[in-house]
Amino acid sequence: VPMGVLSCMKYLMFTFNVLVFAGGTCLVGVGVWVAVDPAGFQDIVAAKPVLSAGAYLLLAVGIALSLLGFLGCCGALRRSRPLLLA
């Protein structure tokens, strides 16, 4: 396999993991917003009973995605197979 292909794959994996990390961070931000100020979010979404459970679900999924994205970025830059498989 040519070295240019491996370098391209490394940066593509890094870019994809940065996007996963950014998406997870956005989910954490929305989850914190809903958990702290549910009244402001109720104007957008009419489903009131599931709002608190949804906030904590967004937080959990966002934290997991952020962690996986961060580990993936580190794994892509270091070419570490265990970090990429996490």
Side-chain angles (χ1 to χ4, degrees):
V1 178
M3 196 62 177
V5 173
L6 292 177
S7 179
C8 181
M9 285 297 295
K10 176 176 129 175
Y11 290 115
L12 282 175
M13 290 185 73
F14 177 79
T15 304
F16 176 74
N17 282 300
V18 165
L19 292 175
V20 170
F21 178 77
T25 305
C26 289
L27 283 179
V28 168
V30 171
V32 168
W33 174 37
V34 173
V36 171
D37 185 27
F41 197 74
Q42 284 177 356
D43 297 338
I44 300 171
V45 178
K48 296 176 185 173
V50 275
L51 206 53
S52 63
Y56 294 115
L57 182 66
L58 281 175
L59 279 170
V61 170
I63 290 170
L65 282 176
S66 296
L67 182 64
L68 286 174
F70 178 75
L71 290 176
C73 286
C74 292
L77 289 178
R78 294 177 180 237
R79 294 184 182 168
S80 171
R81 184 176 296 246
L83 285 176
L84 289 173
L85 293 176

